[in-house]
Amino acid sequence: MIAQWAAKQLLEDHDQPFFMSVGFIRPHVPWFVPQKWFDMHPLEQIVLPHHSDRQFDDLPETALRFSELPQMPDMEWMLQEKRWEKSVQAYLASVTFVDHYVGVVLDALEASDYADNTIIVFFSDHGYHLGTKGIWAKHTLWEESTRIPMIIRRPGDTEPRRTHKPVNHMDIYPTVLALADLPPNPENEGQNLVPLLDDPEADGYHGSVTTHAYGNHSVRTERWRYIRYEDGSEELYDHWSDPNEWTNLAGIDHYADIIEKLAKYLPDHDEPWDANSGGGAGYNDYFRDLFERTRNDQ
């Protein structure tokens, strides 16, 4: 229905520039899609994420509070009930399903009068752990939760380019303003990505910050991920040698200088928690209480 609505809008006549936001629910849970999308990913061909039994050994307790949610299945259950392959299959089926309908919208654009002057921005809201680091959720500051697909296509672009520079959701707005030749908003903290669209190796794009609840931040550069939680506990990962983020290097003296440099990307302050905001310190309390209840039950 969403794709059909968007296609209908694109095939109508518009005498003014327009902005269209087309949001698809999948691959958000529940992973229910028609059977034919499952059939495209046979169980015997499913490739499972890497898993290590020791991946929690060097994590601070705060990280465990965030990742161990009782309403989510855990790795022990997935393995015991033989559900891992089926769950990954359901996720892939949901991705393929929505990918098809993104194509429906793009086909409608290509058939419209606006194919040659429309900017396309494709992105998702967050990633999802499918057993990576032994969890099934999105409530972390690790790679699989914070990494997203992002594609920007300008009118006339014909050669695909890919960059490994870290960018952020907040960069989308100033980029679209620049591409549409509109004045920048001085209150926006994002970066204009147009130079990066022209040159994937453009300088000036060094670190991307993600915040989860109050006082918990992650910095991702091309090589490193540094996490600092509200209680001061830390994680550091070298993605050149440890792309799965299995070895926490924080606390090793050799990496103190690297942590000091990465910490400069962190926000100078955290806004006071607003009870109506759905996050903040109260959100941390929720995770803290949830963790304590789960631990007591066990």
Side-chain angles (χ1 to χ4, degrees):
M1 292 175 62
I2 293 168
Q4 291 170 1
W5 175 88
K8 181 176 181 295
Q9 306 307 311
L10 288 168
L11 296 176
E12 291 181 354
D13 293 329
H14 303 280
D15 58 6
Q16 295 290 330
F18 61 89
F19 170 86
M20 181 181 292
S21 177
V22 183
F24 294 101
I25 298 172
R26 294 293 174 269
H28 196 285
V29 293
W31 296 327
F32 297 158
V33 294
Q35 181 62 42
K36 71 174 185 177
W37 306 105
F38 282 80
D39 294 341
M40 295 180 184
H41 301 279
L43 277 175
E44 62 273 13
Q45 297 180 15
I46 296 298
V47 178
L48 297 176
H50 295 290
H51 174 65
S52 170
D53 292 332
R54 55 173 289 274
Q55 53 202 3
F56 288 134
D57 294 350
D58 53 8
L59 295 181
E61 184 175 286
T62 307
L64 300 179
R65 285 209 312 268
F66 273 55
S67 63
E68 293 184 359
L69 302 180
Q71 68 266 42
M72 299 294 183
D74 58 25
M75 183 56 70
E76 181 181 358
W77 183 87
M78 282 287 181
L79 295 175
Q80 180 178 327
E81 299 297 324
K82 303 184 185 304
R83 294 283 183 171
W84 198 0
E85 288 86 354
K86 292 181 179 179
S87 296
V88 173
Q89 180 195 43
Y91 185 83
L92 295 175
S94 299
V95 171
T96 305
F97 168 79
V98 77
D99 184 64
H100 169 79
Y101 286 104
V102 169
V104 169
V105 176
L106 294 178
D107 286 346
L109 175 61
E110 289 299 313
S112 75
D113 295 332
Y114 317 108
D116 296 330
N117 66 348
T118 298
I119 303 161
I120 303 170
V121 183
F122 173 85
F123 64 97
S124 73
D125 53 349
H126 57 77
Y128 201 88
H129 289 266
L130 296 168
T132 45
K133 290 188 78 72
I135 66 169
W136 292 80
K138 60 185 180 181
H139 296 280
T140 77
L141 286 169
W142 297 323
E143 183 78 1
E144 293 304 315
S145 288
T146 59
R147 187 180 63 189
I148 64 164
M150 183 188 293
I151 301 172
I152 301 175
R153 183 183 183 275
R154 301 171 293 186
D157 281 349
T158 57
E159 292 294 328
R161 299 184 180 95
R162 182 174 183 173
T163 182
H164 294 282
K165 302 286 185 177
V167 298
N168 198 285
H169 275 125
M170 291 197 300
D171 300 329
I172 296 174
Y173 178 50
T175 302
V176 172
L177 289 181
L179 292 174
D181 198 24
L182 295 171
N185 181 347
E187 295 184 1
N188 186 261
E189 297 182 16
Q191 292 182 282
N192 176 8
L193 300 181
V194 171
L196 204 56
L197 298 180
D198 295 328
D199 177 8
E201 297 301 322
D203 198 14
Y205 305 91
H206 303 297
S208 175
V209 176
T210 303
T211 297
H212 179 38
Y214 179 83
N216 307 287
H217 309 286
S218 171
V219 178
R220 179 70 156 90
T221 67
E222 288 189 75
R223 178 172 182 177
W224 304 97
R225 176 177 299 281
Y226 170 60
I227 302 173
R228 181 187 293 174
Y229 295 100
E230 57 158 339
D231 60 0
S233 57
E234 299 171 309
E235 295 177 60
L236 177 69
Y237 300 101
D238 184 350
H239 271 258
W240 288 7
S241 61
D242 181 25
N244 296 305
E245 298 184 342
W246 283 346
T247 303
N248 179 14
L249 302 173
I252 301 176
D253 291 342
H254 176 73
Y255 298 98
D257 289 344
I258 294 172
I259 288 178
E260 182 179 359
K261 293 177 182 178
L262 294 172
K264 294 178 181 178
Y265 289 100
L266 298 178
D268 295 331
H269 72 284
D270 292 285
E271 289 295 315
W273 178 57
D274 179 353
N276 298 317
S277 69
Y283 202 50
N284 288 5
D285 292 340
Y286 164 78
F287 279 105
R288 185 180 298 108
D289 293 343
L290 202 58
F291 179 78
E292 292 300 329
R293 291 200 305 270
T294 304
R295 185 164 61 180
N296 292 337
D297 291 342
Q298 292 174 344

